Amino acid sequence: MTAKTHTVEKIGGTSMSRSQELLRTVLVGDRKGPELYNRIFVVSAYGGMTDALLEHKKSDEPGVYALFASAESGWQWGDALSSVASKMVEKNAEIFADAATREQADKFIRERIEGVRSCLIDLSRLCSFGHFQLEAHLLTVREMLSALGEAQSAFNTALLLNQNGVNARFIDLTGWRQDGELPLDEHIARQFSGVDFATELPIVTGYAQCAEQLMKTYDRGYSEVTLSRVAVVTGAKEAIIHKEFHLSSADPKLVGSDKVQVIGETNYDVADQLSNMGMEAIHPRAAKSLRQAGIPLRVTNAFEPDHPGTVIVSDLAPKTPGAEIITGLKGVFALEFYDQDMVGVKGYDTKILESLTRHKVWIISKTSNANTITHYLKGSMKAIKRVETDLAKAFPTASTTLRKLAMVSAIGRDLGGVRILPRAIAALDEAGIEPIGLTDMIRKVDLQVLVEEKDFDAAIIALHKGLVEERAERKARADIRRVA
C-alpha cells in the first residue's frame, strides 16, 4: 500500500443522489478493465438523509437524534426513525430495478435500522434510572445514527457496481457490531488489509468509528476527514472531491456563467479561507492532513468527467497576484462589545471566547480598538443571545449590540501589490454600495467587506467585476500586446 499509484476520491451527498449519472461519469464512464481500478471512493449519505437522521443543517428541523435528545419529545424519535427507514427503502427502489438486488439492499438497511432502534430503546430504559445520564451518551448516539446514512450509500454503490461488472468491495468503517474502538489510522489500515487496488474498487463509508470520535471535533464534516486519512494511510498519489459544481471565481447563478472562471489551480491557504466563509472546498483539518503528507487535492464537477477541475497544492504561488474567488455569507451577526474600562486591561477577550465556544458559535473574524471588541459570527440567534447574557453577567458595566449583516470576501493566494483595497472600494462605489466595514489583512490572502444584507448580491457582482473580470481583461490585453 506504499506505492503511490492510486487516488482516493469522495462523492458528496447531493451527487450521490444521482447514482445512475455517477455510473456514466465518475464511477465507470468509458473506463474498462484495469482503468476501473487503482481508485478508492469515500461516499457521503444520499442527499437529505443525514438531515433526517440528525437535524436539518439549515433550518434546524429536528431529526431522529434531535428528537431522541429532547426530553419533551417522548417517543417521537421512534416514528422519525421509521420515517427514515421508509425513505431509505424508497431510495433503494429508485436505484435498483431488479427485485432480488433491491431486497438485498432493503435487508441490509433494515437490519441496521432495527439494530439502532433496539439500542436506543435500551438506552432510554437505562437512563430512566437516576444513576445513568442520557447526556453522557448523546455523542455516541449521534455518531451511530449518522453512520446509517453512509452505510446505506456505500453498500448500495458497491452493489450497483457489482451489477455493472465492476469488482467493487464494500469497506465498512462505521464500526457496526465491532468490539472496542481503534485509533482512526489503525482502523483504516486494518480494514484495507488485503485489498488489491489493482483488481478491486473499494467503496468506503464516509463515517468512521474511532477512538478520536470524529463528530466531537468535526461534527458533519467528518467524511472529508475520512477522505484525508484514507489517502494518507494508503499512500495515495492524489485526493479528489467530486462536487455537483466547479470551484469557480463566483457563483455562476449570481454573476453569470459567461463571466465566472473555473479556478484551475490554487493552494490550501485559499481552501482555508473558503472554509471560513462557509464555502468548503475541504474541511480545514482534512486539508492539513493532505498538506502535511504532500498529497495534492483536486476538486471536480462529478458530472463533467472530462474537465480537469481545480488542483489544490501546498504553497503554490500564483503567476500574477490578484483575487481568485469572490464569495460571502448572509446572516452574519456583528456582536459589538463595548466597555469604557477596557483600555489597558487584559481578560476581556478570554471571557468572550469562552462564551462563544461554550455556545458553539462560529467566529468568522473579529476587530478591536481601545474599548470595543467586535466579533463577526455565524450561528443561531438563540445561541448568540445566550452569549450576550453571559457577557452581561461577567461585565455589568459593559454593553453589547447585535446587528445582522452580510460579509463578502475577495480571496486569493496573493492579494499584495495589486491595489486590491482601493479597487474594491471603487467597484463598490460605482455600484452605489457603501461598505459598513472592511478588513484588509496584512497577510494578503483575503479582503473582507461588510454590507447590509440587501446589498449582498450586488456586492458580489460588483467585486467580481472590479477584481476578477477586469483583471482577466487586463491580462488578455497584455497577452495581445506581447504577441504583437
Side-chain angles (χ1 to χ4, degrees), residues 361-383:
V361 179
W362 178 262
I363 303 169
I364 303 167
S365 66
K366 75 169 187 176
T367 57
S368 64
N369 60 22
N371 51 24
T372 306
I373 301 173
T374 305
H375 284 84
Y376 301 102
L377 310 168
K378 190 69 176 175
S380 69
M381 175 68 83
K382 183 188 294 185

Side-chain angles (χ1 to χ4, degrees), residues 67-244:
L67 291 170
F68 183 80
S70 171
E72 294 81 21
S73 69
W75 291 89
Q76 290 179 43
W77 66 265
D79 294 334
L81 187 59
S82 296
S83 176
V84 171
S86 297
K87 289 179 182 178
M88 288 182 163
V89 169
E90 287 171 9
K91 190 65 186 177
N92 291 347
E94 177 188 319
I95 295 170
F96 301 108
D98 176 64
T101 310
R102 186 167 64 250
E103 179 55 33
Q104 192 177 347
D106 289 350
K107 181 181 178 182
F108 172 83
I109 200 57
R110 282 192 178 116
E111 179 191 340
R112 296 282 174 119
I113 289 278
E114 294 313 314
V116 168
R117 190 192 304 275
S118 296
C119 181
L120 295 186
I121 288 172
D122 290 343
L123 181 59
S124 293
R125 288 173 179 161
L126 183 68
C127 292
S128 66
F129 295 91
H131 293 81
F132 301 93
Q133 300 300 314
L134 180 61
E135 288 76 12
H137 305 283
L138 284 179
L139 179 60
T140 302
V141 170
R142 187 171 178 83
E143 294 201 337
M144 182 172 59
L145 283 166
S146 184
L148 289 173
E150 274 83 16
Q152 181 198 21
S153 60
F155 181 84
N156 282 2
T157 303
L159 200 57
L160 188 62
L161 285 165
N162 289 335
Q163 269 192 320
N164 284 269
V166 181
N167 185 24
R169 179 166 171 173
F170 173 45
I171 303 288
D172 189 359
L173 296 180
T174 67
W176 183 252
R177 300 194 184 284
Q178 178 179 294
D179 292 332
E181 291 178 331
L182 296 170
L184 179 58
D185 286 3
E186 185 178 342
H187 183 35
I188 291 169
R190 285 196 183 188
Q191 291 297 318
F192 277 90
S193 177
V195 176
D196 182 359
F197 297 151
T199 61
E200 295 178 278
L201 183 58
I203 307 298
V204 188
T205 56
Y207 168 76
Q209 184 193 35
C210 58
E212 294 92 331
Q213 294 183 295
L214 294 185
M215 292 198 81
K216 186 175 183 179
T217 304
Y218 310 109
D219 197 48
R220 290 168 67 165
Y222 54 78
S223 62
E224 291 176 358
V225 177
T226 303
L227 164 82
S228 68
R229 295 318 302 171
V230 169
V232 172
V233 171
T234 63
K237 65 178 180 181
E238 186 176 66
I240 303 173
I241 295 180
H242 299 287
K243 294 181 176 289
E244 64 275 12

